[in-house]
Amino acid sequence: MLNLIFLGPPGAGKGTQSQRLAQRFAIPQLSTGDILRRAVAEGSPLGKQAKALMDAGKLVPDEVVNAIVEEALARPEARRGFLLDGYPRTVAQATALDEMLARRGRKLDYVVSLDVPVEVLVDRLSGRLTCPKDGSTYHARTNPPKRPGLCDSDSTPLVQRPDDQPGAVRRRLAEYQNKTALLTDYYKPRGVLRTIEGVGTPEDVEGRIVSALRDNLTAGPANP
Ligand code: AP5
Ligand code: MG
C-alpha cells in the first residue's frame, strides 16, 4: 500500500511523474484536473460549473473537488493505494483529505513536492500537448509523441489546453503561490515531505523520486 500526493506548480511535471509512478507501483493516479476536464468535455453539471473557472486559471471551489476525491478514494482500485495529482491545493482541502483518510483508517506515506523554476514552467506549459481522451501530456520539443500530434496510447489527436494560454498560465501560477505553495509547511512537520528537483529529463526526475522513497524505506517506512 502506497498513499502518495504530488505537489508542485503548474507545469512542474505532476501528471508526467504520477503517470509513471502509477504504472511502476500499480496504483491509480487520481488527477482532479483530469477528472474535471473529462466533466467539461462531457458537458455534465460538474463540467458546466467548473469550465469558466478552469479556463481562467482559477481554482474550483474546495467542496467540489473534495467530493470528487471522496468518491475516487471509495473506488475498489484505490484500496491498494493512490497517487493524488493536483489535490490538495488549499489548506481546507488538505484538512478535508486528512478527515477522509482518517475515516478509512489510512495515512499518507509521502508528499512529493516538485521544484521547478518559473521560466522552465512557462516554457513547458507553452509547448504542452494533451490527449483529451486519457489526459496524457507531451511537449512538442522536450517530450514529443512517437507520431507527431497523436497520443502514443490511443492515437487521439493532441490539443492545447485552454488554460495553457499565457493569461491563464499567469493566473494559475499566482493561484499556486497564494493558495498551494504553503502546503509544504503543512506537511513538513509530519516527516512525509520529499522535495525533488524537477528539472532534467522525465527519466531523471522519476529516478530521483524513486530513490527518495527508497531512502526513506531503508530508514524505516513513514507508514509502517
Ligand atoms: P491541473 O490539471 O492539476 O493543472 P496544474 O496544476 O496547473 O498542473 P498541470 O497539469 O498544468 O502541470 P503538471 O504539473 O501536471 O505538468 P505536466 O506533467 O503536464 O488543474 C487544472 C485546473 O483544474 C486548475 O487550474 C483548477 O481550475 C482545477 N483544479 C484541479 N485540481 C483542483 C483542486 N484540487 N482544487 C481546485 N481546483 C482544481 O508537464 C507539463 C509539460 O512539461 C508537459 O508538456 C510535459 O510533457 C512536460 N514535462 C514534464 N516533465 C518534464 C521534464 N522533466 N522535462 C521536460 N519536459 C517535461
Ligand atoms: Mg497535470
Side-chain angles (χ1 to χ4, degrees):
M1 159 101 65
L2 181 65
N3 300 330
L4 207 143
I5 289 176
F6 268 93
L7 276 184
K14 302 182 295 298
T16 303
Q17 294 301 328
S18 56
Q19 270 182 5
R20 286 169 172 265
L21 267 72
Q23 276 194 358
R24 180 185 277 264
F25 296 117
I27 50 175
Q29 171 202 15
L30 307 177
S31 162
T32 44
D34 286 351
I35 293 169
L36 287 165
R37 275 184 289 280
R38 274 198 292 276
V40 170
E42 286 160 6
S44 70
L46 169 65
K48 285 185 180 132
Q49 183 184 4
K51 185 178 181 350
L53 289 167
M54 292 176 77
D55 286 354
K58 292 186 191 169
L59 293 186
V60 171
D62 290 332
E63 56 277 15
V64 172
V65 280
N66 290 341
I68 289 174
V69 172
E70 178 96 61
E71 200 211 304
L73 290 180
R75 286 189 212 130
E77 58 268 30
R79 267 190 225 132
R80 299 187 51 226
F82 58 79
L83 218 153
L84 279 168
D85 160 13
Y87 179 94
R89 268 172 140 102
T90 62
V91 172
Q93 291 179 24
T95 51
L97 177 64
D98 285 342
E99 286 161 18
M100 285 178 223
L101 295 178
R103 278 202 298 279
R104 293 183 159 74
R106 292 171 73 166
K107 279 203 292 186
L108 284 174
D109 294 304
Y110 301 102
V111 176
V112 174
S113 174
L114 292 172
D115 194 16
V116 177
V118 71
E119 61 277 11
V120 178
L121 299 173
V122 170
D123 176 64
R124 285 184 182 177
L125 294 173
S126 64
R128 173 164 57 184
L129 297 166
T130 304
C131 174
K133 200 163 165 197
D134 70 7
S136 58
T137 59
Y138 304 84
H139 187 282
R141 195 181 70 253
T142 59
N143 181 23
K146 292 193 180 85
R147 286 162 301 154
L150 299 177
C151 176
D152 287 350
S153 44
D154 55 27
S155 300
T156 303
L158 302 173
V159 297
Q160 188 187 37
R161 269 172 45 178
D163 61 348
D164 281 345
Q165 305 290 335
V169 167
R170 275 194 298 277
R171 172 84 70 160
R172 285 158 65 206
L173 289 167
E175 289 275 79
Y176 176 79
Q177 277 312 326
N178 296 336
K179 296 176 184 166
T180 310
L182 73 174
L183 287 182
T184 53
D185 293 335
Y186 183 88
Y187 289 116
K188 206 179 284 172
R190 301 188 190 183
V192 292
L193 183 69
R194 300 288 174 273
T195 300
I196 305 290
E197 158 84 67
V199 180
T201 65
E203 292 74 22
D204 290 340
V205 178
E206 183 183 6
R208 280 177 216 140
I209 296 170
V210 170
S211 78
L213 306 191
R214 281 216 187 100
D215 287 351
N216 184 258
L217 290 172
T218 315
N223 188 8

